PDB file of all heavy atoms in Angstrom:
ATOM      1  N   PRO A 223     126.252 100.700  91.260  1.00 95.00           N
ATOM      2  CA  PRO A 223     125.477  99.444  91.405  1.00 95.00           C
ATOM      3  C   PRO A 223     125.769  98.761  92.708  1.00 95.00           C
ATOM      4  O   PRO A 223     126.936  98.747  93.178  1.00 95.00           O
ATOM      5  CB  PRO A 223     126.030  98.597  90.224  1.00 95.00           C
ATOM      6  CG  PRO A 223     126.578  99.618  89.232  1.00 95.00           C
ATOM      7  CD  PRO A 223     127.082 100.791  90.055  1.00 95.00           C
ATOM      8  N   LYS A 224     124.743  98.289  93.333  1.00 94.00           N
ATOM      9  CA  LYS A 224     124.856  97.756  94.673  1.00 94.00           C
ATOM     10  C   LYS A 224     125.690  96.427  94.709  1.00 94.00           C
ATOM     11  O   LYS A 224     126.274  96.096  95.748  1.00 94.00           O
ATOM     12  CB  LYS A 224     123.455  97.468  95.263  1.00 94.00           C
ATOM     13  CG  LYS A 224     122.626  98.710  95.385  1.00 94.00           C
ATOM     14  CD  LYS A 224     123.315  99.881  96.089  1.00 94.00           C
ATOM     15  CE  LYS A 224     122.811 101.253  95.630  1.00 94.00           C
ATOM     16  NZ  LYS A 224     123.788 102.327  95.565  1.00 94.00           N
ATOM     17  N   VAL A 225     125.792  95.737  93.578  1.00 93.00           N
ATOM     18  CA  VAL A 225     126.631  94.554  93.533  1.00 93.00           C
ATOM     19  C   VAL A 225     128.066  94.902  93.919  1.00 93.00           C
ATOM     20  O   VAL A 225     128.789  94.041  94.477  1.00 93.00           O
ATOM     21  CB  VAL A 225     126.604  93.809  92.228  1.00 93.00           C
ATOM     22  CG1 VAL A 225     125.293  93.176  91.960  1.00 93.00           C
ATOM     23  CG2 VAL A 225     127.000  94.714  91.033  1.00 93.00           C
ATOM     24  N   ILE A 226     128.497  96.114  93.570  1.00 94.00           N
ATOM     25  CA  ILE A 226     129.855  96.478  93.870  1.00 94.00           C
ATOM     26  C   ILE A 226     130.067  96.563  95.385  1.00 94.00           C
ATOM     27  O   ILE A 226     131.074  96.097  95.957  1.00 94.00           O
ATOM     28  CB  ILE A 226     130.189  97.776  93.155  1.00 94.00           C
ATOM     29  CG1 ILE A 226     130.219  97.569  91.648  1.00 94.00           C
ATOM     30  CG2 ILE A 226     131.512  98.378  93.655  1.00 94.00           C
ATOM     31  CD1 ILE A 226     130.357  98.823  90.870  1.00 94.00           C
ATOM     32  N   VAL A 227     129.092  97.224  96.018  1.00 94.00           N
ATOM     33  CA  VAL A 227     129.210  97.341  97.486  1.00 94.00           C
ATOM     34  C   VAL A 227     129.122  95.967  98.116  1.00 94.00           C
ATOM     35  O   VAL A 227     129.894  95.653  99.015  1.00 94.00           O
ATOM     36  CB  VAL A 227     128.081  98.267  97.996  1.00 94.00           C
ATOM     37  CG1 VAL A 227     128.194  98.449  99.493  1.00 94.00           C
ATOM     38  CG2 VAL A 227     128.103  99.639  97.309  1.00 94.00           C
ATOM     39  N   GLN A 228     128.197  95.126  97.626  1.00 93.00           N
ATOM     40  CA  GLN A 228     128.075  93.796  98.166  1.00 93.00           C
ATOM     41  C   GLN A 228     129.326  92.956  98.056  1.00 93.00           C
ATOM     42  O   GLN A 228     129.773  92.216  98.906  1.00 93.00           O
ATOM     43  CB  GLN A 228     126.922  93.053  97.511  1.00 93.00           C
ATOM     44  CG  GLN A 228     125.567  93.452  98.099  1.00 93.00           C
ATOM     45  CD  GLN A 228     124.429  93.279  97.105  1.00 93.00           C
ATOM     46  OE1 GLN A 228     124.547  92.635  96.071  1.00 93.00           O
ATOM     47  NE2 GLN A 228     123.306  93.910  97.401  1.00 93.00           N
ATOM     48  N   GLN A 229     130.045  93.183  96.917  1.00 91.00           N
ATOM     49  CA  GLN A 229     131.283  92.497  96.692  1.00 91.00           C
ATOM     50  C   GLN A 229     132.341  92.902  97.712  1.00 91.00           C
ATOM     51  O   GLN A 229     133.057  92.042  98.216  1.00 91.00           O
ATOM     52  CB  GLN A 229     131.757  92.919  95.251  1.00 91.00           C
ATOM     53  CG  GLN A 229     133.126  92.342  94.878  1.00 91.00           C
ATOM     54  CD  GLN A 229     132.983  90.922  94.429  1.00 91.00           C
ATOM     55  OE1 GLN A 229     132.223  90.696  93.455  1.00 91.00           O
ATOM     56  NE2 GLN A 229     133.687  90.015  95.026  1.00 91.00           N
ATOM     57  N   GLU A 230     132.368  94.175  97.991  1.00 89.00           N
ATOM     58  CA  GLU A 230     133.398  94.654  99.001  1.00 89.00           C
ATOM     59  C   GLU A 230     133.086  94.047 100.332  1.00 89.00           C
ATOM     60  O   GLU A 230     133.993  93.631 101.106  1.00 89.00           O
ATOM     61  CB  GLU A 230     133.363  96.173  99.105  1.00 89.00           C
ATOM     62  CG  GLU A 230     133.719  96.907  97.795  1.00 89.00           C
ATOM     63  CD  GLU A 230     135.147  96.619  97.291  1.00 89.00           C
ATOM     64  OE1 GLU A 230     135.920  96.023  98.091  1.00 89.00           O
ATOM     65  OE2 GLU A 230     135.426  96.861  96.121  1.00 89.00           O
ATOM     66  N   VAL A 231     131.808  94.001 100.707  1.00 93.00           N
ATOM     67  CA  VAL A 231     131.389  93.450 102.018  1.00 93.00           C
ATOM     68  C   VAL A 231     131.695  91.955 102.034  1.00 93.00           C
ATOM     69  O   VAL A 231     132.157  91.413 103.015  1.00 93.00           O
ATOM     70  CB  VAL A 231     129.958  93.718 102.222  1.00 93.00           C
ATOM     71  CG1 VAL A 231     129.443  93.018 103.503  1.00 93.00           C
ATOM     72  CG2 VAL A 231     129.672  95.251 102.416  1.00 93.00           C
ATOM     73  N   ALA A 232     131.463  91.284 100.879  1.00 93.00           N
ATOM     74  CA  ALA A 232     131.741  89.818 100.833  1.00 93.00           C
ATOM     75  C   ALA A 232     133.173  89.536 101.048  1.00 93.00           C
ATOM     76  O   ALA A 232     133.562  88.579 101.725  1.00 93.00           O
ATOM     77  CB  ALA A 232     131.249  89.270  99.494  1.00 93.00           C
ATOM     78  N   THR A 233     134.034  90.367 100.461  1.00 91.00           N
ATOM     79  CA  THR A 233     135.498  90.223 100.672  1.00 91.00           C
ATOM     80  C   THR A 233     135.841  90.308 102.163  1.00 91.00           C
ATOM     81  O   THR A 233     136.639  89.497 102.653  1.00 91.00           O
ATOM     82  CB  THR A 233     136.275  91.286  99.854  1.00 91.00           C
ATOM     83  OG1 THR A 233     135.848  91.235  98.510  1.00 91.00           O
ATOM     84  CG2 THR A 233     137.773  91.091  99.948  1.00 91.00           C
ATOM     85  N   LEU A 234     135.252  91.300 102.845  1.00 94.00           N
ATOM     86  CA  LEU A 234     135.486  91.429 104.254  1.00 94.00           C
ATOM     87  C   LEU A 234     135.103  90.168 105.029  1.00 94.00           C
ATOM     88  O   LEU A 234     135.833  89.669 105.870  1.00 94.00           O
ATOM     89  CB  LEU A 234     134.650  92.565 104.812  1.00 94.00           C
ATOM     90  CG  LEU A 234     135.082  93.977 104.681  1.00 94.00           C
ATOM     91  CD1 LEU A 234     134.095  94.888 105.468  1.00 94.00           C
ATOM     92  CD2 LEU A 234     136.509  94.224 105.124  1.00 94.00           C
ATOM     93  N   GLU A 235     133.921  89.620 104.634  1.00 95.00           N
ATOM     94  CA  GLU A 235     133.450  88.445 105.364  1.00 95.00           C
ATOM     95  C   GLU A 235     134.343  87.281 105.100  1.00 95.00           C
ATOM     96  O   GLU A 235     134.642  86.469 105.974  1.00 95.00           O
ATOM     97  CB  GLU A 235     132.000  88.149 104.949  1.00 95.00           C
ATOM     98  CG  GLU A 235     131.064  89.182 105.572  1.00 95.00           C
ATOM     99  CD  GLU A 235     129.590  88.941 105.293  1.00 95.00           C
ATOM    100  OE1 GLU A 235     129.234  88.665 104.100  1.00 95.00           O
ATOM    101  OE2 GLU A 235     128.769  89.027 106.196  1.00 95.00           O
ATOM    102  N   LYS A 236     134.893  87.182 103.863  1.00 94.00           N
ATOM    103  CA  LYS A 236     135.848  86.091 103.569  1.00 94.00           C
ATOM    104  C   LYS A 236     137.105  86.241 104.382  1.00 94.00           C
ATOM    105  O   LYS A 236     137.793  85.262 104.669  1.00 94.00           O
ATOM    106  CB  LYS A 236     136.143  86.058 102.062  1.00 94.00           C
ATOM    107  CG  LYS A 236     135.001  85.462 101.271  1.00 94.00           C
ATOM    108  CD  LYS A 236     135.424  85.237  99.798  1.00 94.00           C
ATOM    109  CE  LYS A 236     134.146  84.927  99.010  1.00 94.00           C
ATOM    110  NZ  LYS A 236     134.149  85.668  97.736  1.00 94.00           N
ATOM    111  N   MET A 237     137.448  87.462 104.750  1.00 94.00           N
ATOM    112  CA  MET A 237     138.631  87.691 105.582  1.00 94.00           C
ATOM    113  C   MET A 237     138.362  87.336 107.040  1.00 94.00           C
ATOM    114  O   MET A 237     139.209  87.347 107.888  1.00 94.00           O
ATOM    115  CB  MET A 237     139.098  89.128 105.566  1.00 94.00           C
ATOM    116  CG  MET A 237     139.688  89.569 104.231  1.00 94.00           C
ATOM    117  SD  MET A 237     139.861  91.333 104.168  1.00 94.00           S
ATOM    118  CE  MET A 237     141.257  91.582 105.305  1.00 94.00           C
ATOM    119  N   GLY A 238     137.104  86.991 107.328  1.00 96.00           N
ATOM    120  CA  GLY A 238     136.720  86.620 108.677  1.00 96.00           C
ATOM    121  C   GLY A 238     136.151  87.794 109.515  1.00 96.00           C
ATOM    122  O   GLY A 238     135.999  87.620 110.727  1.00 96.00           O
ATOM    123  N   VAL A 239     135.853  88.894 108.866  1.00 97.00           N
ATOM    124  CA  VAL A 239     135.194  90.007 109.611  1.00 97.00           C
ATOM    125  C   VAL A 239     133.747  89.612 109.855  1.00 97.00           C
ATOM    126  O   VAL A 239     133.037  89.137 108.965  1.00 97.00           O
ATOM    127  CB  VAL A 239     135.247  91.287 108.777  1.00 97.00           C
ATOM    128  CG1 VAL A 239     134.410  92.378 109.421  1.00 97.00           C
ATOM    129  CG2 VAL A 239     136.691  91.762 108.607  1.00 97.00           C
ATOM    130  N   LYS A 240     133.289  89.829 111.092  1.00 97.00           N
ATOM    131  CA  LYS A 240     131.870  89.524 111.408  1.00 97.00           C
ATOM    132  C   LYS A 240     131.051  90.785 111.246  1.00 97.00           C
ATOM    133  O   LYS A 240     131.516  91.884 111.653  1.00 97.00           O
ATOM    134  CB  LYS A 240     131.744  89.015 112.835  1.00 97.00           C
ATOM    135  CG  LYS A 240     132.119  87.552 112.986  1.00 97.00           C
ATOM    136  CD  LYS A 240     131.529  87.041 114.287  1.00 97.00           C
ATOM    137  CE  LYS A 240     132.564  86.228 115.044  1.00 97.00           C
ATOM    138  NZ  LYS A 240     133.412  86.863 115.992  1.00 97.00           N
ATOM    139  N   ILE A 241     129.887  90.671 110.656  1.00 97.00           N
ATOM    140  CA  ILE A 241     129.051  91.841 110.535  1.00 97.00           C
ATOM    141  C   ILE A 241     127.734  91.559 111.239  1.00 97.00           C
ATOM    142  O   ILE A 241     127.041  90.694 110.930  1.00 97.00           O
ATOM    143  CB  ILE A 241     128.811  92.190 109.065  1.00 97.00           C
ATOM    144  CG1 ILE A 241     130.135  92.433 108.302  1.00 97.00           C
ATOM    145  CG2 ILE A 241     127.892  93.396 108.944  1.00 97.00           C
ATOM    146  CD1 ILE A 241     130.006  92.700 106.882  1.00 97.00           C
ATOM    147  N   GLN A 242     127.500  92.388 112.261  1.00 97.00           N
ATOM    148  CA  GLN A 242     126.256  92.262 113.019  1.00 97.00           C
ATOM    149  C   GLN A 242     125.328  93.396 112.590  1.00 97.00           C
ATOM    150  O   GLN A 242     125.533  94.533 113.003  1.00 97.00           O
ATOM    151  CB  GLN A 242     126.637  92.366 114.531  1.00 97.00           C
ATOM    152  CG  GLN A 242     125.524  92.494 115.475  1.00 97.00           C
ATOM    153  CD  GLN A 242     125.132  91.171 116.036  1.00 97.00           C
ATOM    154  OE1 GLN A 242     125.968  90.439 116.556  1.00 97.00           O
ATOM    155  NE2 GLN A 242     123.858  90.854 115.899  1.00 97.00           N
ATOM    156  N   THR A 243     124.328  93.049 111.852  1.00 96.00           N
ATOM    157  CA  THR A 243     123.329  94.079 111.421  1.00 96.00           C
ATOM    158  C   THR A 243     122.273  94.246 112.487  1.00 96.00           C
ATOM    159  O   THR A 243     122.268  93.492 113.465  1.00 96.00           O
ATOM    160  CB  THR A 243     122.718  93.687 110.057  1.00 96.00           C
ATOM    161  OG1 THR A 243     122.230  92.348 110.193  1.00 96.00           O
ATOM    162  CG2 THR A 243     123.675  93.786 108.960  1.00 96.00           C
ATOM    163  N   ASN A 244     121.367  95.193 112.282  1.00 96.00           N
ATOM    164  CA  ASN A 244     120.234  95.480 113.210  1.00 96.00           C
ATOM    165  C   ASN A 244     120.810  95.717 114.644  1.00 96.00           C
ATOM    166  O   ASN A 244     120.302  95.194 115.595  1.00 96.00           O
ATOM    167  CB  ASN A 244     119.285  94.321 113.274  1.00 96.00           C
ATOM    168  CG  ASN A 244     118.601  94.113 111.931  1.00 96.00           C
ATOM    169  OD1 ASN A 244     118.089  95.048 111.339  1.00 96.00           O
ATOM    170  ND2 ASN A 244     118.620  92.896 111.433  1.00 96.00           N
ATOM    171  N   PHE A 245     121.850  96.471 114.702  1.00 97.00           N
ATOM    172  CA  PHE A 245     122.496  96.715 116.018  1.00 97.00           C
ATOM    173  C   PHE A 245     122.841  98.188 116.081  1.00 97.00           C
ATOM    174  O   PHE A 245     123.825  98.657 115.435  1.00 97.00           O
ATOM    175  CB  PHE A 245     123.777  95.881 116.120  1.00 97.00           C
ATOM    176  CG  PHE A 245     124.352  95.735 117.478  1.00 97.00           C
ATOM    177  CD1 PHE A 245     124.323  94.475 118.128  1.00 97.00           C
ATOM    178  CD2 PHE A 245     124.898  96.804 118.147  1.00 97.00           C
ATOM    179  CE1 PHE A 245     124.815  94.363 119.401  1.00 97.00           C
ATOM    180  CE2 PHE A 245     125.499  96.650 119.394  1.00 97.00           C
ATOM    181  CZ  PHE A 245     125.381  95.417 120.077  1.00 97.00           C
ATOM    182  N   ALA A 246     122.075  98.926 116.820  1.00 96.00           N
ATOM    183  CA  ALA A 246     122.307 100.412 116.904  1.00 96.00           C
ATOM    184  C   ALA A 246     123.111 100.670 118.194  1.00 96.00           C
ATOM    185  O   ALA A 246     122.584 100.546 119.341  1.00 96.00           O
ATOM    186  CB  ALA A 246     120.987 101.169 116.966  1.00 96.00           C
ATOM    187  N   VAL A 247     124.381 100.949 118.021  1.00 97.00           N
ATOM    188  CA  VAL A 247     125.185 101.235 119.182  1.00 97.00           C
ATOM    189  C   VAL A 247     124.672 102.541 119.834  1.00 97.00           C
ATOM    190  O   VAL A 247     124.393 103.502 119.155  1.00 97.00           O
ATOM    191  CB  VAL A 247     126.679 101.320 118.874  1.00 97.00           C
ATOM    192  CG1 VAL A 247     127.518 101.765 120.044  1.00 97.00           C
ATOM    193  CG2 VAL A 247     127.163  99.966 118.354  1.00 97.00           C
ATOM    194  N   GLY A 248     124.547 102.521 121.177  1.00 95.00           N
ATOM    195  CA  GLY A 248     123.951 103.634 121.859  1.00 95.00           C
ATOM    196  C   GLY A 248     122.563 103.178 122.333  1.00 95.00           C
ATOM    197  O   GLY A 248     122.035 103.667 123.336  1.00 95.00           O
ATOM    198  N   ARG A 249     121.916 102.279 121.573  1.00 95.00           N
ATOM    199  CA  ARG A 249     120.600 101.751 121.937  1.00 95.00           C
ATOM    200  C   ARG A 249     120.674 100.277 122.285  1.00 95.00           C
ATOM    201  O   ARG A 249     120.373  99.850 123.360  1.00 95.00           O
ATOM    202  CB  ARG A 249     119.606 101.989 120.831  1.00 95.00           C
ATOM    203  CG  ARG A 249     119.254 103.439 120.650  1.00 95.00           C
ATOM    204  CD  ARG A 249     118.000 103.834 121.409  1.00 95.00           C
ATOM    205  NE  ARG A 249     117.472 105.104 121.034  1.00 95.00           N
ATOM    206  CZ  ARG A 249     117.657 106.241 121.700  1.00 95.00           C
ATOM    207  NH1 ARG A 249     118.364 106.208 122.852  1.00 95.00           N
ATOM    208  NH2 ARG A 249     117.165 107.360 121.227  1.00 95.00           N
ATOM    209  N   THR A 250     121.093  99.467 121.306  1.00 96.00           N
ATOM    210  CA  THR A 250     121.146  98.037 121.530  1.00 96.00           C
ATOM    211  C   THR A 250     122.227  97.744 122.586  1.00 96.00           C
ATOM    212  O   THR A 250     122.095  96.849 123.437  1.00 96.00           O
ATOM    213  CB  THR A 250     121.476  97.321 120.215  1.00 96.00           C
ATOM    214  OG1 THR A 250     120.632  97.776 119.215  1.00 96.00           O
ATOM    215  CG2 THR A 250     121.274  95.823 120.324  1.00 96.00           C
ATOM    216  N   ARG A 251     123.269  98.535 122.557  1.00 96.00           N
ATOM    217  CA  ARG A 251     124.325  98.443 123.579  1.00 96.00           C
ATOM    218  C   ARG A 251     125.011  99.826 123.577  1.00 96.00           C
ATOM    219  O   ARG A 251     125.217 100.442 122.580  1.00 96.00           O
ATOM    220  CB  ARG A 251     125.398  97.445 123.157  1.00 96.00           C
ATOM    221  CG  ARG A 251     125.932  96.755 124.401  1.00 96.00           C
ATOM    222  CD  ARG A 251     126.156  95.349 124.143  1.00 96.00           C
ATOM    223  NE  ARG A 251     126.611  94.466 125.193  1.00 96.00           N
ATOM    224  CZ  ARG A 251     125.883  93.944 126.133  1.00 96.00           C
ATOM    225  NH1 ARG A 251     124.682  94.428 126.355  1.00 96.00           N
ATOM    226  NH2 ARG A 251     126.390  93.008 126.938  1.00 96.00           N
ATOM    227  N   LYS A 252     125.406 100.261 124.770  1.00 96.00           N
ATOM    228  CA  LYS A 252     126.122 101.539 124.896  1.00 96.00           C
ATOM    229  C   LYS A 252     127.550 101.282 124.396  1.00 96.00           C
ATOM    230  O   LYS A 252     128.094 100.246 124.548  1.00 96.00           O
ATOM    231  CB  LYS A 252     126.166 101.995 126.342  1.00 96.00           C
ATOM    232  CG  LYS A 252     124.784 102.135 127.019  1.00 96.00           C
ATOM    233  CD  LYS A 252     124.186 103.485 126.659  1.00 96.00           C
ATOM    234  CE  LYS A 252     122.860 103.650 127.359  1.00 96.00           C
ATOM    235  NZ  LYS A 252     121.853 102.646 126.972  1.00 96.00           N
ATOM    236  N   LEU A 253     128.073 102.364 123.807  1.00 96.00           N
ATOM    237  CA  LEU A 253     129.432 102.269 123.229  1.00 96.00           C
ATOM    238  C   LEU A 253     130.436 101.694 124.207  1.00 96.00           C
ATOM    239  O   LEU A 253     131.156 100.731 123.905  1.00 96.00           O
ATOM    240  CB  LEU A 253     129.886 103.665 122.797  1.00 96.00           C
ATOM    241  CG  LEU A 253     131.195 103.699 122.070  1.00 96.00           C
ATOM    242  CD1 LEU A 253     130.956 103.670 120.555  1.00 96.00           C
ATOM    243  CD2 LEU A 253     132.006 104.963 122.426  1.00 96.00           C
ATOM    244  N   LEU A 254     130.489 102.236 125.416  1.00 95.00           N
ATOM    245  CA  LEU A 254     131.535 101.825 126.328  1.00 95.00           C
ATOM    246  C   LEU A 254     131.252 100.400 126.911  1.00 95.00           C
ATOM    247  O   LEU A 254     132.198  99.773 127.373  1.00 95.00           O
ATOM    248  CB  LEU A 254     131.739 102.867 127.415  1.00 95.00           C
ATOM    249  CG  LEU A 254     132.362 104.142 126.850  1.00 95.00           C
ATOM    250  CD1 LEU A 254     132.478 105.234 127.929  1.00 95.00           C
ATOM    251  CD2 LEU A 254     133.712 103.884 126.192  1.00 95.00           C
TER     252      LEU A 254
END
Side-chain angles (χ1 to χ4, degrees):
Chain A
K224 301 308 155 214
V225 289
I226 293 172
V227 181
Q228 279 153 15
Q229 176 82 56
E230 299 299 343
V231 173
T233 305
L234 281 186
E235 288 182 314
K236 284 189 192 136
M237 290 170 73
V239 171
K240 279 199 227 91
I241 302 178
Q242 169 97 51
T243 50
N244 298 311
F245 195 111
V247 173
R249 289 266 192 258
T250 312
R251 213 141 184 78
K252 304 277 181 299
L253 185 95
L254 291 176

